[in-house]
Amino acid sequence: MSQSNQSLRRTLDRLFVPLTVGPTILWIAGIIVYPTLQLFWSSLFWTNPITGAKEFVGIENFVDLLFGDAGGWLGVLNPTFVNFTWNTIVYVGFSVTISFLLGLGIALLLNKDLAGRGWLRTAVIVPWILPYVMSGLMWRWMFQAQYGAINGVLVQSGLIDSKIAFLSDGTLAMMALIVADVWVFTPFIIIILLAGLQNVPEQLYDAAEVDGASRWSRFRNVTYPFLKPSILVALTIRIIFDIRALDLVWVMTQGGPGKATEVWASWLYRTAMVFQRSGEGAALGVVLLAVTFAIVAVLYKVFGETPYST
Amino acid sequence: MSTRTSYLDRIADGFGLDTDNEWPSVVRERLVAYGLLGVYVFVVWFPIYYILITSIQPTSEVLSLPINFIPQQPTIGNYVDIFANRPFELYTFNSLVVASTTTLICVTLGTVTGYTFSRHDFLGNKALLLSIVGARMIPPIALIVPFFSIMSSPPIIGGLTGSLYDTKIALILTYTFFNLPFAVWIMKNYFDGVPESLDEQAQVDGCSQWEGFVKIILPVAKPGIAATAILAFIFSWNEFVFALVLTSSEQAQTLPIAVSLFVADDFVDWAHLAAGGMIAALPGILFGLFFQRYIVSGLTQGAVKE
């Protein structure tokens, strides 16, 4: 009895690695690798939106996506593609830049030895943990033309005379999206950069102070080198998350008014799910996948770091 | 001595203080820091306050002008209404089931796999870990087409009838897609920080690998497990896009979908939406207030650590 127990124990021990890693690998293969392969496969078909019938078309979906209705940029690219790509660049570019600078500032402030720092940190983290849908709807309510708080504050304090229909104007709607996005994701930047700031050795600041280094020079020469990996991570995750995130855009503007705030994520959802054109939606998905990996590669190249994480 | 005068010096002058002696630069810097942080905290919390007061006002008051930033007749009517008129108890139940099952799967698999990746060299371990990390970067929305088609078609494994579309199982399976690689990665980083002498001690004491893992390592890993669990729960609780694509009725729809359903084409029922939104936001607010430390450590383990 005890002998067979012994041998069972030894067998189980020998199988430790396969038994602990195997299930996860199989699970990931089933839930990620298989759907990803199917994405590439689906992108080669044209789907009839009414009957659902599929027809093999090779790379035609990609050609249409990039060059269809030629006459756009340089007379070559698909104007729809150029237009929505531009919207995405504006949305992601402004959101990430503003939230990064704001997050860096707040992280530097929170890194100071202040009383109540723990509470302040808790207070600034909350927006990131709320469901994005609820945050999106909350901001839609804030920007609402008649009863929204922003118009309320502006009018009731006498700053403007007549209310502004923020979400009915293309440019203002894009600005509203960016405000909501910055509100939601700045905490993430703060958390990552605060962790990075803890790597900066205190003595280096003292030394810099003795040398009479200016505030900027201290940041540039002491803080920045230690913070660089965290900056890289924060930017990478922020950018790839913003390109693919649908929640805020969908509930705040649905890509409107017109197509003023249509970004890649909402375009993909509209193509695949609303218009039921799954082949074209899959092609868009493949492009999104490629762009994501390209951005990560470029960021690591620019920062001259070996992949630290992600 | 500086000849420049800042606005703080001017304020100090206003109080008749001798700035050179009575406003040491440390105090001055702190006041500026508190001021700026105060403004930021106000901006962060104002929208949450606004949706909270919207949720406790009757519709007539919500749609009255000028806007009252302090509710005149607070009421819990909206909360009562949404449970009475819509299946909010089902939405809440679905959210709880989906988020906790996903969390359980991801934490269990993530913990054991993370441990092995941290401690064992085996054939292809680097390549496997890299694939898992790479899987984290695949944009979920890019996969809505395959997920929709997989969940809508009859299952490959026999014995089940019908498709997984509009079931909680579909959501649970899908949510492990972004949470499992994340859990493996956090736990691997966490175990990297646990001294290997603990493992050796367990072996000296005659524990098998499994016993050592369960009795010695797991108890030490509790904070890492807590961080992973909290983040996996929040991510699953908040998820919207796949719930939108893969569900169509209250047997599987979760709270984020329920909240979005308050938006009709031309009309939004703001008072009730705010109440639903507060219910969906509750776990986030509570976790944020009470488990901030775990959220921060989990996120930084998952992002920054090598």
Coordinates of all heavy atoms in Angstrom, one line a residue, chain A residues 9 12-13 16 20 24 27 31-32 35 38-39 112-113 115 121-123 127 129-131 133 138 141 147-149 156 163 183 186 195 215 244 247 269 289 292 308-310, chain B residues 29-30 34 40 43-45 47 50 54 65 67 113 116 133 139-142 146-147 150 173 176-177 206 208-210 234 238 240 244 259 263 270 280 288 292 300 303-304:
Chain A
R9 N 3.5 8.8 -5.9 CA 4.1 10.1 -5.6 C 5.2 10.5 -6.5 O 5.3 11.6 -7.0 CB 4.7 10.1 -4.1 CG 3.8 10.8 -3.1 CD 4.5 10.7 -1.8 NE 5.6 11.6 -1.6 CZ 6.1 12.1 -0.5 NH1 5.5 11.7 0.6 NH2 7.1 12.9 -0.4
L12 N 3.8 11.2 -10.0 CA 3.1 12.6 -10.0 C 4.2 13.7 -10.0 O 4.1 14.7 -10.7 CB 2.2 12.7 -8.7 CG 0.8 12.2 -8.9 CD1 0.1 12.4 -7.6 CD2 0.1 12.9 -10.0
D13 N 5.3 13.5 -9.2 CA 6.3 14.5 -9.2 C 7.0 14.6 -10.5 O 7.3 15.7 -11.0 CB 7.4 14.1 -8.1 CG 7.2 14.9 -6.9 OD1 6.2 15.6 -6.8 OD2 8.1 14.9 -6.0
F16 N 5.1 16.8 -12.8 CA 4.8 18.1 -12.3 C 4.7 19.1 -13.4 O 3.7 19.9 -13.5 CB 5.8 18.5 -11.2 CG 5.4 19.8 -10.5 CD1 4.6 19.7 -9.4 CD2 5.9 21.0 -10.9 CE1 4.2 20.9 -8.7 CE2 5.5 22.2 -10.2 CZ 4.7 22.1 -9.1
T20 N 1.3 21.0 -14.7 CA 1.0 22.4 -14.3 C 1.0 23.3 -15.5 O 0.3 24.3 -15.5 CB 2.0 22.9 -13.3 OG1 3.3 22.7 -13.9 CG2 1.9 22.3 -12.0
T24 N -2.9 24.8 -19.2 CA -2.9 26.2 -19.6 C -2.6 26.3 -21.1 O -3.2 27.1 -21.8 CB -1.9 27.0 -18.8 OG1 -2.2 26.9 -17.4 CG2 -1.9 28.5 -19.2
W27 N -5.5 25.2 -23.1 CA -6.6 26.2 -23.0 C -6.3 27.4 -23.9 O -7.2 27.8 -24.6 CB -6.7 26.6 -21.5 CG -8.0 27.4 -21.2 CD1 -8.3 28.6 -21.7 CD2 -9.1 26.9 -20.4 NE1 -9.5 29.0 -21.2 CE2 -10.0 27.9 -20.4 CE3 -9.3 25.8 -19.7 CZ2 -11.2 27.8 -19.7 CZ3 -10.5 25.7 -19.0 CH2 -11.5 26.7 -19.0
I31 N -8.4 28.8 -27.0 CA -9.2 30.0 -26.9 C -8.5 31.2 -27.6 O -9.1 32.2 -27.9 CB -9.5 30.3 -25.4 CG1 -10.8 31.1 -25.3 CG2 -8.3 31.0 -24.7 CD1 -12.0 30.2 -25.4
I32 N -7.2 31.0 -28.0 CA -6.5 32.1 -28.6 C -6.0 31.7 -30.0 O -6.2 32.4 -31.0 CB -5.4 32.7 -27.8 CG1 -6.0 33.2 -26.5 CG2 -4.7 33.8 -28.5 CD1 -4.9 33.8 -25.5
P35 N -8.9 30.6 -32.6 CA -9.6 31.8 -33.2 C -8.7 32.7 -34.0 O -9.2 33.2 -35.0 CB -10.1 32.5 -31.9 CG -10.2 31.5 -30.8 CD -9.1 30.6 -31.1
Q38 N -8.5 31.1 -37.3 CA -9.7 31.3 -38.0 C -10.0 32.7 -38.5 O -10.6 32.9 -39.5 CB -10.9 30.9 -37.1 CG -11.9 30.0 -37.8 CD -13.2 30.0 -37.2 OE1 -13.5 30.6 -36.2 NE2 -14.2 29.4 -37.9
L39 N -9.4 33.7 -37.8 CA -9.5 35.1 -38.2 C -8.8 35.2 -39.6 O -9.4 35.8 -40.5 CB -8.8 36.0 -37.2 CG -8.6 37.5 -37.6 CD1 -10.0 38.2 -37.5 CD2 -7.6 38.2 -36.8
K112 N 6.1 62.4 -4.0 CA 6.6 63.2 -2.9 C 6.2 62.7 -1.6 O 5.2 62.0 -1.5 CB 6.1 64.7 -3.0 CG 6.8 65.5 -4.1 CD 6.2 66.9 -4.1 CE 6.6 67.6 -5.4 NZ 8.0 68.0 -5.4
D113 N 6.9 63.0 -0.5 CA 6.6 62.5 0.8 C 5.4 63.3 1.4 O 5.7 64.2 2.3 CB 7.9 62.6 1.6 CG 7.7 61.9 3.0 OD1 6.7 61.1 3.0 OD2 8.4 62.2 3.9
A115 N 1.7 63.8 3.4 CA 0.8 63.2 4.3 C -0.5 62.8 3.5 O -0.9 63.6 2.7 CB 0.5 64.1 5.5
R121 N -3.7 58.4 -3.6 CA -3.5 57.4 -4.6 C -4.8 56.7 -4.9 O -5.2 56.4 -6.0 CB -2.4 56.5 -4.2 CG -1.6 55.9 -5.3 CD -0.3 55.4 -4.9 NE -0.4 54.5 -3.8 CZ 0.7 53.9 -3.3 NH1 1.9 54.1 -3.8 NH2 0.6 53.0 -2.3
T122 N -5.5 56.3 -3.8 CA -6.8 55.6 -4.0 C -7.7 56.5 -4.8 O -8.4 56.0 -5.7 CB -7.4 55.3 -2.6 OG1 -6.5 54.4 -1.9 CG2 -8.7 54.6 -2.8
A123 N -7.8 57.7 -4.4 CA -8.7 58.7 -5.0 C -8.5 58.8 -6.5 O -9.4 59.0 -7.3 CB -8.7 60.0 -4.4
P127 N -11.2 56.0 -11.5 CA -11.8 56.0 -12.8 C -11.4 54.8 -13.7 O -12.2 54.3 -14.5 CB -11.3 57.3 -13.5 CG -10.9 58.1 -12.3 CD -10.5 57.2 -11.2
I129 N -10.9 51.8 -12.8 CA -11.5 50.5 -12.4 C -13.0 50.4 -12.7 O -13.6 49.3 -12.7 CB -11.3 50.3 -10.9 CG1 -9.9 50.7 -10.5 CG2 -11.6 48.8 -10.5 CD1 -9.8 50.7 -9.0
L130 N -13.6 51.5 -13.1 CA -15.1 51.5 -13.4 C -15.3 50.8 -14.8 O -14.4 50.9 -15.6 CB -15.6 52.9 -13.4 CG -15.4 53.7 -12.1 CD1 -16.1 55.0 -12.2 CD2 -16.0 52.9 -10.9
P131 N -16.4 50.2 -15.0 CA -16.7 49.7 -16.3 C -16.6 50.9 -17.4 O -17.2 51.9 -17.2 CB -18.1 49.2 -16.2 CG -18.4 49.0 -14.8 CD -17.6 50.0 -14.1
V133 N -18.0 51.2 -20.1 CA -19.3 51.6 -20.7 C -20.0 52.6 -19.8 O -20.5 53.6 -20.2 CB -20.2 50.3 -20.8 CG1 -21.6 50.7 -20.9 CG2 -19.7 49.4 -21.9
M138 N -21.5 58.0 -18.7 CA -21.4 59.1 -17.7 C -20.9 60.4 -18.4 O -21.5 61.5 -18.2 CB -20.4 58.7 -16.6 CG -20.3 59.6 -15.5 SD -19.0 59.0 -14.4 CE -17.6 59.5 -15.3
W141 N -23.5 61.9 -20.6 CA -24.4 62.6 -19.8 C -23.8 64.0 -19.4 O -24.5 65.0 -19.4 CB -24.8 61.8 -18.6 CG -25.7 62.3 -17.5 CD1 -25.5 62.2 -16.1 CD2 -26.9 63.1 -17.6 NE1 -26.5 62.8 -15.5 CE2 -27.3 63.4 -16.3 CE3 -27.6 63.7 -18.7 CZ2 -28.5 64.2 -16.1 CZ3 -28.7 64.4 -18.5 CH2 -29.2 64.7 -17.2
Y147 N -29.2 69.2 -20.4 CA -29.1 69.0 -18.9 C -27.8 68.6 -18.4 O -27.6 68.2 -17.3 CB -30.2 68.0 -18.5 CG -31.6 68.4 -19.1 CD1 -32.1 67.7 -20.2 CD2 -32.3 69.4 -18.4 CE1 -33.3 68.1 -20.7 CE2 -33.6 69.7 -18.9 CZ -34.1 69.1 -20.1 OH -35.3 69.4 -20.6
G148 N -26.8 68.5 -19.3 CA -25.5 68.0 -18.9 C -24.7 69.0 -18.0 O -24.9 70.2 -18.0
A149 N -23.9 68.4 -17.1 CA -23.2 69.2 -16.1 C -22.2 70.2 -16.7 O -22.1 71.3 -16.1 CB -22.5 68.2 -15.2
Q156 N -24.3 78.4 -16.0 CA -24.7 78.9 -14.7 C -23.6 79.8 -14.0 O -23.8 80.6 -13.2 CB -25.1 77.8 -13.8 CG -26.6 77.3 -14.1 CD -26.9 76.0 -13.5 OE1 -27.3 75.1 -14.3 NE2 -26.9 75.8 -12.2
K163 N -26.0 77.2 -24.6 CA -25.5 75.9 -24.4 C -24.8 75.4 -25.7 O -25.3 75.7 -26.8 CB -26.6 75.0 -23.9 CG -27.1 75.5 -22.6 CD -28.0 74.5 -21.9 CE -28.1 74.9 -20.5 NZ -29.1 74.1 -19.8
W183 N -9.7 60.9 -18.9 CA -10.2 60.7 -17.6 C -10.1 59.3 -17.2 O -9.7 59.0 -16.0 CB -11.7 61.2 -17.6 CG -12.3 61.1 -16.2 CD1 -12.3 62.1 -15.3 CD2 -13.1 60.1 -15.6 NE1 -13.0 61.7 -14.2 CE2 -13.5 60.5 -14.4 CE3 -13.4 58.8 -16.1 CZ2 -14.3 59.7 -13.5 CZ3 -14.2 58.0 -15.3 CH2 -14.6 58.4 -14.0
T186 N -5.8 58.0 -17.5 CA -4.6 58.6 -16.8 C -4.2 57.8 -15.5 O -3.0 57.6 -15.3 CB -4.9 60.0 -16.4 OG1 -5.3 60.7 -17.7 CG2 -3.7 60.7 -15.8
A195 N 5.3 53.2 -9.9 CA 6.1 52.0 -9.7 C 7.5 52.3 -10.2 O 8.5 51.9 -9.5 CB 5.5 50.8 -10.3
R215 N 16.0 71.7 -11.7 CA 14.9 70.7 -11.6 C 14.8 69.9 -12.9 O 14.7 68.7 -12.8 CB 13.6 71.5 -11.4 CG 12.4 70.7 -11.0 CD 11.3 71.6 -10.8 NE 11.4 72.4 -9.6 CZ 10.7 72.2 -8.5 NH1 9.9 71.2 -8.4 NH2 10.8 73.0 -7.4
R244 N -7.7 49.6 -30.0 CA -8.6 48.5 -30.2 C -9.9 48.7 -29.3 O -10.8 47.9 -29.4 CB -7.9 47.2 -29.8 CG -7.6 47.2 -28.3 CD -6.6 46.1 -28.0 NE -6.6 45.7 -26.6 CZ -5.7 44.9 -26.1 NH1 -4.7 44.4 -26.9 NH2 -5.7 44.5 -24.9
D247 N -15.5 50.5 -26.4 CA -16.5 50.8 -25.4 C -16.8 52.3 -25.4 O -18.0 52.7 -25.6 CB -16.0 50.4 -24.0 CG -15.3 49.1 -23.9 OD1 -14.5 48.8 -24.8 OD2 -15.5 48.3 -23.0
Y269 N -16.3 46.9 -35.7 CA -17.5 46.4 -35.1 C -18.7 46.6 -36.1 O -19.5 45.7 -36.3 CB -17.8 47.1 -33.8 CG -19.1 46.6 -33.2 CD1 -19.1 45.4 -32.5 CD2 -20.3 47.3 -33.3 CE1 -20.3 44.9 -31.9 CE2 -21.5 46.9 -32.7 CZ -21.5 45.7 -32.1 OH -22.7 45.2 -31.5
L289 N -4.3 43.6 -36.0 CA -3.3 42.8 -35.4 C -1.9 43.1 -35.8 O -1.0 43.3 -35.0 CB -3.6 41.3 -35.8 CG -3.0 40.2 -35.0 CD1 -3.7 40.1 -33.6 CD2 -3.3 38.9 -35.7
T292 N -0.8 46.5 -34.5 CA -0.5 46.4 -33.0 C 0.9 45.9 -32.8 O 1.7 46.5 -32.1 CB -1.5 45.5 -32.3 OG1 -2.8 45.9 -32.5 CG2 -1.2 45.4 -30.8
Y308 N 11.1 44.6 -22.3 CA 11.2 44.5 -20.8 C 10.0 43.7 -20.3 O 10.1 43.0 -19.3 CB 11.0 45.9 -20.3 CG 11.8 46.2 -19.0 CD1 13.1 46.4 -19.0 CD2 11.1 46.2 -17.8 CE1 13.8 46.7 -17.9 CE2 11.8 46.5 -16.6 CZ 13.1 46.7 -16.7 OH 13.8 46.9 -15.5
S309 N 8.9 43.7 -21.1 CA 7.7 43.0 -20.7 C 6.7 43.0 -21.8 O 7.0 43.1 -22.9 CB 7.2 43.7 -19.4 OG 6.6 44.9 -19.8
T310 N 5.5 43.1 -21.3 CA 4.2 43.1 -22.1 C 4.1 41.8 -23.0 O 4.9 41.5 -23.8 CB 4.1 44.3 -23.1 OG1 4.6 45.4 -22.4 CG2 2.6 44.5 -23.3
Chain B
E29 N 6.7 73.9 -1.7 CA 6.5 72.8 -2.7 C 5.3 72.0 -2.4 O 4.6 71.5 -3.2 CB 7.8 72.0 -2.8 CG 8.5 72.2 -4.1 CD 9.8 71.4 -4.1 OE1 9.7 70.2 -3.8 OE2 10.9 71.9 -4.4
R30 N 5.2 71.7 -1.1 CA 4.1 70.8 -0.6 C 2.7 71.5 -0.9 O 1.8 70.8 -1.3 CB 4.2 70.5 0.8 CG 5.0 69.3 1.0 CD 5.1 68.8 2.4 NE 6.3 68.0 2.4 CZ 6.7 67.3 3.4 NH1 6.0 67.4 4.5 NH2 7.8 66.6 3.4
Y34 N -0.2 69.8 -3.0 CA -1.5 69.6 -2.5 C -2.5 70.3 -3.4 O -3.6 69.8 -3.7 CB -1.7 70.0 -1.1 CG -1.2 69.0 -0.1 CD1 -0.2 69.3 0.8 CD2 -1.8 67.7 -0.1 CE1 0.2 68.4 1.8 CE2 -1.3 66.8 0.8 CZ -0.3 67.1 1.8 OH 0.1 66.2 2.7
Y40 N -6.9 67.9 -9.3 CA -7.0 66.7 -10.1 C -8.1 65.7 -9.5 O -8.9 65.2 -10.2 CB -5.7 66.0 -10.2 CG -5.8 64.7 -11.1 CD1 -6.0 64.8 -12.5 CD2 -5.6 63.5 -10.5 CE1 -6.1 63.7 -13.2 CE2 -5.7 62.3 -11.3 CZ -5.9 62.4 -12.7 OH -6.0 61.3 -13.4
V43 N -11.5 66.9 -10.2 CA -11.9 66.6 -11.6 C -12.2 65.1 -11.8 O -13.2 64.8 -12.5 CB -10.8 67.0 -12.6 CG1 -11.1 66.5 -14.0 CG2 -10.6 68.5 -12.6
V44 N -11.5 64.3 -11.1 CA -11.7 62.8 -11.2 C -13.0 62.4 -10.6 O -13.8 61.6 -11.1 CB -10.5 62.1 -10.5 CG1 -11.0 60.7 -10.1 CG2 -9.3 62.1 -11.3
W45 N -13.4 63.1 -9.4 CA -14.6 62.6 -8.7 C -15.9 63.4 -9.1 O -17.0 62.9 -8.8 CB -14.4 62.7 -7.2 CG -13.6 61.5 -6.8 CD1 -12.2 61.4 -6.8 CD2 -14.1 60.3 -6.3 NE1 -11.9 60.1 -6.4 CE2 -13.0 59.4 -6.1 CE3 -15.4 59.8 -6.1 CZ2 -13.1 58.1 -5.7 CZ3 -15.5 58.4 -5.7 CH2 -14.4 57.6 -5.5
P47 N -17.4 63.8 -12.0 CA -18.4 63.1 -12.9 C -19.1 62.0 -12.1 O -20.2 61.7 -12.3 CB -17.5 62.5 -14.0 CG -16.3 63.4 -14.0 CD -16.1 63.8 -12.6
Y50 N -21.7 63.4 -10.1 CA -22.8 63.9 -10.9 C -23.7 62.7 -11.3 O -24.9 62.8 -11.2 CB -22.3 64.6 -12.1 CG -23.4 65.3 -13.0 CD1 -24.2 66.2 -12.4 CD2 -23.5 64.9 -14.3 CE1 -25.2 66.8 -13.1 CE2 -24.5 65.6 -15.1 CZ -25.3 66.5 -14.5 OH -26.3 67.1 -15.2
T54 N -27.5 62.1 -10.0 CA -28.5 61.8 -11.0 C -29.3 60.6 -10.7 O -30.5 60.5 -10.9 CB -27.9 61.6 -12.4 OG1 -27.1 62.8 -12.7 CG2 -28.9 61.4 -13.5
L65 N -34.3 72.7 -15.2 CA -33.3 73.7 -15.3 C -33.6 74.9 -14.4 O -34.7 75.2 -14.2 CB -33.2 74.2 -16.8 CG -32.6 73.2 -17.8 CD1 -32.8 73.7 -19.2 CD2 -31.2 72.9 -17.5
I67 N -29.7 73.4 -13.6 CA -29.3 72.2 -13.0 C -29.0 72.3 -11.5 O -28.3 73.3 -11.1 CB -28.0 71.6 -13.7 CG1 -28.3 71.3 -15.1 CG2 -27.5 70.4 -13.0 CD1 -27.1 71.1 -16.0
T113 N 0.8 27.4 -13.4 CA 1.7 27.6 -14.5 C 2.7 28.6 -14.3 O 3.9 28.4 -14.7 CB 0.8 27.9 -15.8 OG1 -0.2 27.0 -15.9 CG2 1.6 27.9 -17.0
T116 N 5.6 27.1 -12.3 CA 6.5 26.2 -13.0 C 7.4 27.0 -13.9 O 8.6 26.8 -14.1 CB 5.6 25.2 -13.8 OG1 4.8 24.5 -12.9 CG2 6.5 24.2 -14.6
V133 N 3.0 35.6 -23.5 CA 3.1 37.1 -23.4 C 2.6 37.7 -24.7 O 1.8 38.7 -24.6 CB 4.5 37.5 -23.1 CG1 4.7 39.0 -23.1 CG2 4.9 37.0 -21.7
P139 N -5.2 42.1 -30.2 CA -6.4 42.9 -29.8 C -7.7 42.1 -29.8 O -8.0 41.5 -30.8 CB -6.5 43.9 -31.0 CG -5.3 43.7 -31.9 CD -4.7 42.4 -31.5
P140 N -8.3 42.1 -28.6 CA -9.6 41.3 -28.5 C -10.6 41.6 -29.6 O -11.2 40.7 -30.2 CB -10.1 41.6 -27.1 CG -8.9 42.1 -26.4 CD -8.0 42.7 -27.3
I141 N -10.7 42.9 -29.9 CA -11.8 43.2 -30.9 C -11.5 42.6 -32.3 O -12.4 42.4 -33.0 CB -12.0 44.7 -30.9 CG1 -13.3 45.0 -31.7 CG2 -10.9 45.4 -31.6 CD1 -13.8 46.4 -31.6
A142 N -10.2 42.4 -32.6 CA -9.9 41.8 -33.9 C -10.5 40.4 -34.0 O -10.7 39.9 -35.1 CB -8.3 41.7 -34.0
P146 N -14.1 35.6 -35.5 CA -14.0 34.2 -35.2 C -14.8 33.8 -33.9 O -15.4 32.7 -33.9 CB -12.5 33.9 -35.0 CG -11.9 35.3 -35.0 CD -12.8 36.2 -35.7
F147 N -14.8 34.6 -32.9 CA -15.5 34.3 -31.7 C -17.0 34.1 -31.9 O -17.6 33.2 -31.4 CB -15.2 35.2 -30.5 CG -14.0 34.8 -29.7 CD1 -12.8 35.5 -29.8 CD2 -14.2 33.8 -28.8 CE1 -11.7 35.0 -29.0 CE2 -13.1 33.3 -28.0 CZ -11.9 34.0 -28.1
I150 N -17.5 30.9 -33.9 CA -17.3 29.7 -33.1 C -18.4 29.5 -32.1 O -19.0 28.4 -32.0 CB -16.0 29.8 -32.4 CG1 -14.8 29.7 -33.3 CG2 -15.9 28.7 -31.3 CD1 -13.4 30.0 -32.7
L173 N -15.6 31.5 -21.3 CA -14.5 31.0 -22.2 C -13.8 32.2 -22.8 O -12.5 32.3 -22.8 CB -15.1 30.1 -23.3 CG -15.5 28.7 -22.9 CD1 -16.2 28.0 -24.0 CD2 -14.3 27.9 -22.4
T176 N -11.5 34.3 -20.5 CA -10.2 33.7 -20.1 C -9.1 34.0 -21.2 O -7.9 34.0 -20.9 CB -10.2 32.1 -20.0 OG1 -10.6 31.6 -21.2 CG2 -11.2 31.7 -18.9
F177 N -9.6 34.4 -22.4 CA -8.6 34.8 -23.4 C -7.7 35.9 -23.0 O -6.5 35.9 -23.2 CB -9.5 35.0 -24.7 CG -8.9 36.0 -25.7 CD1 -7.5 36.0 -26.0 CD2 -9.7 36.9 -26.3 CE1 -7.1 37.0 -26.9 CE2 -9.3 37.8 -27.2 CZ -7.9 37.8 -27.5
G206 N 11.3 16.6 3.1 CA 10.7 15.4 2.6 C 9.4 15.6 1.9 O 8.6 14.7 1.7
S208 N 6.9 16.2 -1.3 CA 7.0 16.0 -2.7 C 6.8 17.4 -3.3 O 6.5 18.3 -2.6 CB 5.8 15.1 -3.2 OG 4.6 15.8 -3.1
Q209 N 7.0 17.5 -4.6 CA 6.9 18.8 -5.3 C 5.5 19.4 -5.0 O 5.3 20.6 -4.8 CB 7.1 18.6 -6.8 CG 8.6 18.5 -7.1 CD 8.8 19.0 -8.5 OE1 8.5 20.1 -8.9 NE2 9.3 18.1 -9.4
W210 N 4.5 18.5 -5.1 CA 3.1 19.0 -5.0 C 2.8 19.4 -3.5 O 2.3 20.5 -3.3 CB 2.1 17.9 -5.3 CG 2.2 17.5 -6.7 CD1 2.9 16.5 -7.3 CD2 1.5 18.1 -7.8 NE1 2.8 16.4 -8.6 CE2 1.9 17.4 -9.0 CE3 0.6 19.2 -7.9 CZ2 1.4 17.7 -10.3 CZ3 0.1 19.5 -9.2 CH2 0.5 18.8 -10.3
I234 N -12.2 42.3 -12.0 CA -12.6 43.6 -12.5 C -12.6 43.6 -14.0 O -13.6 44.1 -14.6 CB -11.6 44.7 -12.0 CG1 -11.7 44.9 -10.5 CG2 -11.8 46.0 -12.7 CD1 -10.6 45.8 -9.9
N238 N -16.1 44.2 -16.0 CA -16.3 45.5 -16.8 C -16.4 45.2 -18.3 O -16.8 46.1 -19.0 CB -15.1 46.4 -16.6 CG -15.0 47.0 -15.2 OD1 -15.9 46.8 -14.4 ND2 -13.9 47.6 -14.9
F240 N -17.3 44.7 -22.1 CA -18.4 45.1 -22.8 C -18.5 44.5 -24.2 O -19.6 44.0 -24.6 CB -18.5 46.6 -22.9 CG -19.5 47.2 -23.7 CD1 -20.9 47.1 -23.4 CD2 -19.2 47.9 -24.9 CE1 -21.9 47.6 -24.2 CE2 -20.2 48.4 -25.7 CZ -21.5 48.3 -25.3
L244 N -21.5 42.2 -25.8 CA -22.3 42.8 -26.8 C -22.5 41.9 -28.0 O -23.6 41.7 -28.6 CB -21.7 44.2 -27.2 CG -22.6 45.0 -28.2 CD1 -23.8 45.5 -27.5 CD2 -21.7 46.3 -28.6
V259 N -26.7 48.3 -18.7 CA -26.7 49.8 -18.6 C -26.8 50.4 -20.0 O -27.5 51.4 -20.2 CB -25.3 50.2 -18.0 CG1 -25.2 51.7 -17.9 CG2 -25.3 49.6 -16.5
V263 N -30.0 53.3 -23.4 CA -29.9 54.2 -24.4 C -30.8 53.8 -25.6 O -30.4 52.8 -26.3 CB -28.4 54.4 -24.9 CG1 -28.3 55.4 -26.0 CG2 -27.5 54.7 -23.7
W270 N -32.0 59.0 -18.4 CA -30.8 59.3 -17.6 C -30.9 58.9 -16.2 O -29.9 58.3 -15.6 CB -30.4 60.7 -17.7 CG -29.9 61.1 -19.1 CD1 -30.5 61.9 -20.0 CD2 -28.7 60.6 -19.7 NE1 -29.7 61.9 -21.2 CE2 -28.6 61.2 -21.0 CE3 -27.6 59.8 -19.3 CZ2 -27.6 60.9 -21.9 CZ3 -26.6 59.6 -20.2 CH2 -26.5 60.1 -21.5
A280 N -23.4 48.8 -11.6 CA -22.3 48.2 -12.4 C -20.9 48.7 -11.9 O -19.9 48.0 -11.9 CB -22.4 48.6 -13.9
G288 N -11.5 49.6 -5.5 CA -10.6 50.7 -5.5 C -10.3 51.3 -4.1 O -9.2 51.5 -3.8
Q292 N -6.8 48.9 -3.1 CA -5.9 49.7 -4.0 C -4.5 49.1 -4.1 O -3.9 49.0 -5.1 CB -5.9 51.1 -3.5 CG -5.0 52.0 -4.3 CD -3.8 52.4 -3.5 OE1 -2.7 52.2 -4.0 NE2 -4.0 53.0 -2.3
T300 N 1.6 46.4 -11.7 CA 3.0 46.6 -11.9 C 3.7 45.3 -12.1 O 4.6 45.2 -12.9 CB 3.6 47.4 -10.8 OG1 3.2 46.9 -9.5 CG2 3.1 48.9 -10.8
A303 N 3.1 44.5 -15.6 CA 3.5 45.4 -16.7 C 5.0 45.6 -16.6 O 5.8 45.5 -17.5 CB 2.8 46.7 -16.6
V304 N 5.5 46.0 -15.4 CA 6.8 46.6 -15.3 C 7.9 45.6 -15.0 O 9.0 45.6 -15.6 CB 6.9 47.7 -14.2 CG1 8.2 48.4 -14.3 CG2 5.8 48.6 -14.5

